[in-house]
Amino acid sequence: MEFRNLGRSGLKVSEIAYGNWLTHGSQVEEDAARACVRAALDEGITTFDTADVYAGTRAEEVLGRALRGQRREGLEIFTKVFWPTGPGMNDRGLSRKHIIESIDASLRRLETDYVDLYQAHRFDHETPLEETLRAFDDLVRRGKVLYVGVSEWRAEEIERALKIADEMGFDRIVSNQPQYSMLWRVIEGEIVPLCEREGVGQIVWSPIGQGVLTGKYKPGQPLPAGSRATDDKGGADMIRRYMSDDHLARVQELKPIADDLGLSMAQLAIAWTLQNPNVAAAIVGASRPEQVADNVKAAGVKLDADVLKRVDDVLDPVAIRDPARTGSPPRRP
């Protein structure tokens, strides 16, 4: 396993992070989830990412139990706050009330006294940004949170938050968690240049394009049973944008590139995201331990300029780059 600094902070994270969106407490039984976490630990992964909303808060509980007995100082545990976790009007968003209540609930579920990184899961247009940042800063001062970050914020929102933090003496955002893959490159135009300048690192999710970049979906062929594309709990909606025959045919053209490098297609896709120097870690999920072992082999892989050009030549016509595709709900859900 290789390690990188998270942004300009002193925190080191494993290049491959383990995430449990759409798996723990949802698609995968707890015994299988624990086996995947054990595999991640065995492979040298120390960074684990979750969120209070995943599987209706159950994902945090499963992760907490799976990590029970591990040396806490040897782990980096990340979670998030924003999406609804209850029926009330204040059970959502980034108000002081919800942030303070949510961190306490997350800590109970995760069975820990603190999280290494607490992330604003979207931008809250109904709460003053100063209120959100002060609440986060208070949690840092209390020792419940060591670092703060965001997820799926626009460049201008990150920039505003950094400016307010500097003016008010708050801890600065050290990370952003965006979707990023060979097919989804919307952070490259605005977010990455800003974050490189300001010392904010990317912890990217969906580096294999919801599974499309593994090559298991073939143009004109039935969907594999039990795959993400057949999942009715959120996976199918996310993957639909990549399921045209043009997308799938172009992805198949990546196989000779991966073969030339001695990599699986998933390893190539994950390694590709790690070539971006602003990326601190790529989050992988798994329903089986062997998937973890396969994905971890992308750590430390160096792709030369010729390989990157070959990938661009194949996927550029279908890759999504529009920065406007990053966004948060105009009102709290």
Side-chain angles (χ1 to χ4, degrees), residues 229-247:
T230 63
D231 170 40
D232 61 359
K233 297 175 182 175
D237 289 340
M238 290 291 300
I239 206 172
R240 191 170 291 119
R241 63 169 69 102
Y242 304 134
M243 297 303 289
S244 73
D245 282 350
D246 188 20
H247 278 84

Side-chain angles (χ1 to χ4, degrees), residues 34-103:
R34 290 189 185 191
C36 289
V37 171
R38 283 196 300 271
L41 293 164
D42 290 343
E43 295 290 344
I45 291 175
T46 61
T47 304
F48 293 84
D49 180 81
T50 187
D52 57 5
V53 72
Y54 293 168
T57 74
R58 294 187 300 279
E60 286 184 327
E61 295 175 354
V62 173
L63 183 61
R65 288 191 289 269
L67 292 175
R68 190 181 291 165
Q70 296 296 316
R71 179 175 174 270
R72 180 64 182 88
E73 294 81 358
L75 304 173
E76 304 85 48
I77 299 176
F78 301 169
T79 193
K80 312 181 196 73
V81 57
F82 172 79
W83 296 103
T85 52
M89 290 298 294
N90 287 307
D91 292 327
R92 63 206 69 212
L94 297 176
S95 67
R96 167 176 287 275
K97 176 177 173 62
H98 186 52
I99 288 171
I100 300 301
E101 292 173 347
S102 289
I103 188 61

